[in-house]
């Protein structure tokens, strides 16, 4: 059975891109448009890996990571970000401190991203 | 008939034929600080400091008036101008005195003031020709005042550049009006032009006839130069502030668009990449997608560069050995520099600096890539030099730190720049390159990094003769470097 990955990102183009490159690799992908919806999908679908954006409306990514880690401390998470709107904080660094397995800066190279996901499951 | 000396309001004495006081009034006695009776029968010349001069004056009796110093009973000095009031002083007669002590004191005080003042005083005749210049003129201007006597002020000053102001000034003089703080230029003995500030008042004789001007002038060159320097400093601070505000606005804008732009670039870069690998090699579609990928990568780099440029966070700080860093940067850069360009290296072992190795690497990349682009496809040379900066040069260049420095120089044989271009090269988004070849951020980034490191960047360039950038960074002493490493290790 293929590994299941939950993608949380408010940007449709990013979600579609991640679906394309991860399904291409044989992963099963589900999506949510913000942290709140993402938590609901996480609870109902029990994915193996979470790929979450940071800057999102309704519930942002850092809080989402906190809540998911509280529910499942061993949950593998990859945080992705195109930078903050103010550039005063390095959100990805904070995500790493909150327990994200890996962090990726947008825009990213498809092969590199898939390699990181593969490594995540191999670990 | 006895002279009614008591009724004379000014100091007065009557002498007999031997010069002895026959009668005196209270005013004269008061001047000398004695009672009137004490004067009677004494030799009047004996009260003067210079008794012989007084005797001589009385004997000649022809002199109209002469001033003598007298010593009063309580030891004070009084100056009294004595005139002979009768025609026969030899056989006794009336002497009238005029107490000039206050006048003398006044004169002494003014002389002292004239001596300490840096101003000089002058007078003109009725035709506005200088008739007197006080000695301070020579001290200030380095030439004797007599060289100017007989000339008008507008003949000795430099009126060419201030013609309008002189016209107004001369009209005031023609109207015999006083003037204040008129500033003009005049050359000193060394030929250097000084700024002089003059004030003057017209003089009239008893009949109201104009006799000339008298006034004072001071050299305000140093003051005006200091003011100009302060003004220059203020302007440059304003320019700096404006630059900082520009950067802040750019930072806010960049932060705002970077996030959305990065998201937008995700499908461009990632989908193009997975699709390109699936297309047949050498196909037009594959080439097209490769072009899209390249454009996406360029857009990504541009966003990163803008973010790096406007980022507020402090860079990392470690001890950096520049010689090794510069050599390894060059190794990487050589691959991207056309083989027609010869690279000359003169890399000395220099003291370490405190800084961010990544950022210093960025300095190298930006300067060397710029140098290569300035040379273009023609054969050329880039000289890279790393050396300790001589300390005397540091002082002259007014570096903001005291102590040793290192200099990283990148010199190219390229097209060079004119002065107008040099003025703008550190401004963000200023570029001389074609659209797509440059972001206009490279040198702004370099300048920002250098400033963050407490350093300074200098540029020398002439159109057609190449360009040289000198980056000066403050060096650490070995002891400072050791302490920094230890504190870094402890953290």
């Amino acid at each position: 059975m293929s590994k299941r990955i939950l993608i949380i990102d408010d940007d449709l183009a990013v979600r579609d891109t991640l679906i394309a490159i991860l399904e291409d690799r044989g992963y099963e992908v589900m999506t949510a448009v913000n942290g709140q919806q993402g938590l609901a999908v996480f609870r109902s679908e029990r994915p193996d890996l979470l790929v979450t954006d940071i800057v999102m409306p309704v519930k942002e990514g850092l809080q989402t990571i906190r809540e998911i880690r509280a529910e499942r401390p061993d949950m593998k998470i990859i945080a992705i970000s195109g930078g903050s709107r103010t550039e005063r904080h390095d959100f990805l660094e904070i995500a790493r401190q909150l327990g994200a397995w890996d962090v990726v800066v947008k825009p990213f190279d498809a092969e590199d991203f898939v390699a990181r996901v593969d490594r995540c499951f191999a670990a | 008939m006895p002279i009614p000396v008591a009724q004379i309001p000014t100091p007065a004495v009557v002498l007999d034929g031997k010069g002895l006081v026959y009668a005196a009034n209270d005013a004269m006695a008061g001047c000398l600080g004695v009672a009137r009776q004490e004067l009677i029968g004494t030799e009047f010349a004996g009260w003067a400091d210079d008794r012989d001069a007084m005797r001589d004056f009385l004997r000649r009796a022809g002199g109209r008036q002469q001033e003598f110093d007298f010593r009063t009973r309580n030891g004070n000095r009084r100056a009294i101008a004595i005139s002979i009031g009768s025609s026969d002083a030899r056989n006794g007669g009336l002497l009238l005195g005029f107490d000039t002590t206050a006048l003398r004191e006044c004169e002494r005080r003014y002389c002292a003031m004239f001596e300490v003042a840096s101003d000089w005083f002058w007078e003109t005749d009725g035709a506005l020709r200088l008739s007197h210049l006080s000695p301070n003129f020579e001290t200030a201007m380095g030439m004797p005042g007599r060289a100017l006597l007989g000339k008008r002020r507008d003949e000795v000053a430099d009126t060419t550049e201030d013609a309008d102001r002189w016209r107004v000034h001369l009209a005031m003089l023609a109207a015999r009006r006083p003037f204040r703080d008129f500033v003009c230029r005049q050359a000193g003995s060394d030929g250097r032009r000084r700024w002089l500030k003059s004030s003057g008042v017209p003089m009239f004789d008893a009949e109201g006839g104009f006799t000339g001007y008298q006034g004072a002038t001071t050299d305000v060159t140093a003051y005006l130069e200091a003011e100009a320097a302060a003004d220059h400093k203020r302007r440059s601070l304003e320019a700096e502030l404006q630059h900082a505000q520009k950067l802040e606005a750019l930072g806010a804008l960049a932060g705002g668009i970077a996030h959305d732009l990065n998201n937008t670039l995700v499908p461009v870069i990632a989908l193009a990449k997975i699709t390109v690998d699936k297309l047949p090699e050498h196909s037009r579609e594959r080439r097209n997608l490769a072009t899209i990928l390249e454009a996406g990568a360029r857009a990504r780099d541009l966003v990163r560069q803008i973010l790096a440029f406007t980022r507020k966070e402090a860079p990392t700080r470690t001890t950096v050995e520049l010689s090794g860093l510069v050599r390894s940067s060059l190794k990487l850069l050589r691959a991207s520099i056309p083989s027609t360009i010869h690279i000359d290296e003169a890399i000395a072992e220099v003291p370490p600096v405190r800084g961010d190795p990544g950022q210093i690497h960025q300095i190298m990349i930006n300067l060397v890539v710029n140098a290569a682009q300035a040379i273009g496809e023609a054969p050329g040379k880039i000289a890279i030099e790393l050396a300790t900066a001589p300390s005397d040069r540091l002082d002259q260049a007014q570096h903001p730190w005291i102590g040793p420095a290192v200099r990283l120089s990148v010199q190219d044989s390229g097209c060079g720049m004119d002065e107008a271009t040099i003025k703008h090269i550190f401004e963000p988004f200023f570029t001389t390159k074609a659209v797509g070849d440059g972001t206009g951020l490279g040198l702004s980034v370099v300048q920002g990094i250098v400033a963050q490191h407490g350093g300074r960047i200098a540029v020398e360039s002439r159109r057609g003769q190449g360009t040289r950038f000198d980056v000066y960074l403050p060096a650490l002493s070995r002891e400072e470097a050791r302490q920094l490493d230890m504190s870094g290790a402890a953290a």
Side-chain angles (χ1 to χ4, degrees):
Chain A
M1 194 177 130
S2 60
K3 297 282 185 187
R4 302 166 77 234
I5 302 172
L6 168 60
I7 292 162
I8 310 176
D9 200 306
D10 60 325
D11 193 309
L12 173 65
V14 175
R15 290 198 304 272
D16 284 350
T17 302
L18 288 170
I19 289 170
I21 60 178
L22 291 173
E23 283 185 351
D24 210 44
R25 183 73 178 173
Y27 291 113
E28 188 183 327
V29 181
M30 58 203 80
T31 60
V33 299
N34 60 51
Q36 191 173 304
Q37 201 185 71
L39 271 166
V41 177
F42 165 76
R43 285 171 190 142
S44 63
E45 299 295 326
R46 310 285 296 171
D48 301 300
L49 171 70
L50 172 70
V51 175
T52 182
D53 185 25
I54 304 294
V55 182
M56 291 182 291
V58 185
K59 180 170 280 190
E60 46 82 16
L62 295 176
Q63 183 57 27
T64 307
I65 292 173
R66 269 190 208 100
E67 291 182 27
I68 284 178
R69 294 279 298 178
E71 288 187 27
R72 261 178 71 184
D74 61 338
M75 181 71 194
K76 296 266 176 68
I77 299 171
I78 294 177
I80 56 174
S81 178
S84 73
R85 285 207 160 80
T86 60
E87 214 33 54
R88 284 183 200 281
H89 305 287
D90 191 341
F91 287 158
L92 287 177
E93 187 50 43
I94 299 171
R96 200 189 279 282
Q97 285 167 15
L98 288 174
W101 168 266
D102 203 352
V103 297
V104 176
V105 178
K106 290 180 191 171
F108 43 78
D109 179 83
E111 283 173 3
D112 176 67
F113 188 81
V114 169
R116 284 167 189 260
V117 171
D118 290 348
R119 272 205 300 277
C120 203
F121 287 119
Chain B
M1 183 184 158
I3 298 167
V5 70
Q7 290 168 23
I8 298 174
T10 60
V13 287
V14 179
L15 306 185
D16 65 11
K18 293 175 183 165
L20 304 178
V21 177
Y22 174 74
N25 66 1
D26 286 336
M28 180 62 87
C31 269
L32 300 177
V34 294
R36 191 156 53 86
Q37 288 75 9
E38 287 182 70
L39 282 172
I40 308 298
T42 62
E43 185 190 2
F44 185 67
W47 292 90
D49 269 11
D50 192 344
R51 177 190 306 217
D52 294 337
M54 172 72 90
R55 281 177 179 160
D56 190 48
F57 171 71
L58 294 174
R59 202 164 32 245
R60 279 189 287 108
R64 292 170 64 194
Q65 190 182 59
Q66 190 168 335
E67 195 175 74
F68 293 95
D69 282 338
F70 290 85
R71 192 174 292 280
T72 66
R73 173 63 52 85
N74 57 15
N76 290 336
R77 272 177 191 282
R78 294 209 81 90
I80 302 174
I82 301 292
S83 55
I84 297 173
S86 89
S87 56
D88 189 11
R90 269 169 295 194
N91 298 317
L94 175 67
L95 298 187
L96 294 172
F98 178 67
D99 189 346
T100 56
T101 310
L103 212 59
R104 281 278 195 85
E105 177 57 24
C106 204
E107 188 184 340
R108 188 198 60 74
R109 200 177 292 150
Y110 276 101
C111 281
M113 274 168 57
F114 288 178
E115 267 173 40
V116 294
S118 55
D119 300 12
W120 59 91
F121 299 88
W122 48 265
E123 280 181 12
T124 73
D125 60 17
L128 302 177
R129 290 183 297 249
L130 287 163
S131 55
H132 171 75
L133 273 162
S134 68
N136 274 351
F137 173 82
E138 183 164 355
T139 315
M141 299 293 281
M143 59 169 73
R146 64 175 178 281
L148 269 56
L149 294 183
K151 292 179 180 165
R152 292 197 314 271
R153 286 172 50 246
D154 57 308
E155 288 174 333
V156 296
D158 181 353
T159 59
T160 47
E161 284 176 49
D162 310 309
D164 288 343
R165 285 194 305 114
W166 267 102
R167 233 190 323 277
V168 174
H169 181 62
L170 290 175
M172 281 184 83
L173 297 185
R176 313 303 184 217
R177 298 199 20 214
F179 62 91
R180 181 171 283 277
D181 298 341
F182 175 72
V183 177
C184 67
R185 275 175 272 208
Q186 190 169 321
S189 63
D190 53 3
R192 198 167 73 88
R193 288 195 306 181
R194 315 283 172 86
W195 288 95
L196 307 182
K197 187 164 82 174
S198 304
S199 298
V201 290
M203 298 183 294
F204 300 97
D205 60 20
E207 281 76 43
F210 174 69
T211 58
Y213 268 90
Q214 64 180 5
T217 296
T218 186
D219 183 349
V220 291
T221 312
Y223 170 75
L224 289 181
E225 281 174 353
E227 209 173 44
D231 193 48
H232 178 75
K233 175 92 181 155
R234 184 177 56 77
R235 276 168 204 271
S236 84
L237 282 175
E238 274 174 6
E240 263 176 47
L241 179 67
Q242 217 171 29
H243 187 69
Q245 284 170 337
K246 227 194 255 182
L247 289 192
E248 192 158 338
L250 182 65
L253 180 71
I257 62 165
H259 171 267
D260 295 347
L261 207 51
N262 281 336
N263 273 329
T264 309
L265 286 171
V266 166
V268 176
I269 290 174
L271 292 182
K273 187 66 189 289
I274 60 165
T275 311
V276 81
D277 294 339
K278 292 173 182 165
L279 292 169
E281 259 187 83
H282 309 300
S283 70
R284 171 175 285 276
E285 288 72 20
R286 192 180 174 116
R287 280 204 308 276
N288 290 349
L289 262 187
T291 306
I292 292 175
L293 253 179
E294 269 174 36
R298 215 166 68 200
R300 177 197 61 203
D301 292 345
L302 175 58
V303 173
R304 284 192 184 154
Q305 211 164 4
I306 294 173
L307 281 182
F309 176 63
T310 56
R311 189 163 287 150
K312 302 279 193 306
E313 297 95 281
T316 62
R317 285 285 180 262
T318 54
T319 305
V320 183
E321 296 292 346
L322 279 178
S323 55
L325 190 146
V326 169
R327 278 197 194 97
S328 65
S329 292
L330 270 178
K331 215 173 183 179
L332 289 170
L333 280 162
R334 269 183 197 281
S336 59
I337 304 289
S339 57
T340 46
I341 296 174
H342 176 74
I343 297 182
D344 255 2
E345 286 178 39
I347 297 168
E349 292 303 320
V350 294
V353 300
R354 182 166 187 256
D356 184 328
Q359 286 195 327
I360 297 173
H361 178 65
Q362 187 75 50
I363 293 177
M364 275 293 289
I365 292 174
N366 292 11
L367 290 183
V368 174
V369 167
N370 268 1
Q373 286 181 336
I375 295 169
E377 287 167 12
K381 196 177 87 174
I382 300 175
I384 287 137
E385 197 186 344
L386 182 68
T388 307
S391 58
D392 60 333
R393 224 179 126 184
L394 286 179
D395 291 340
Q396 279 169 17
Q398 292 185 326
H399 286 264
W401 67 91
I402 300 164
V406 291
R407 172 174 55 81
L408 170 64
S409 304
V410 176
Q411 185 169 12
D412 66 64
S413 61
C415 55
M417 296 174 282
D418 56 24
E419 273 186 40
T421 306
I422 292 174
K423 270 187 193 167
H424 297 289
I425 54 170
F426 294 115
E427 287 175 12
F429 298 120
F430 177 82
T431 182
T432 56
K433 298 170 193 168
V435 174
D437 282 351
T439 60
L441 287 175
L443 287 174
S444 298
V445 168
V446 170
Q447 192 193 36
I449 294 172
V450 172
Q452 281 176 1
H453 283 75
R456 178 177 167 272
I457 183 164
V459 58
E460 270 176 55
S461 185
R462 289 181 77 174
R463 186 159 283 289
Q465 293 181 25
T467 301
R468 178 192 171 109
F469 284 96
D470 288 309
V471 171
Y472 296 92
L473 296 174
L476 293 170
S477 66
R478 289 284 159 193
E479 179 57 21
E480 283 172 325
R482 197 183 61 80
Q483 285 179 1
L484 195 69
D485 284 345
M486 279 172 63
S487 66

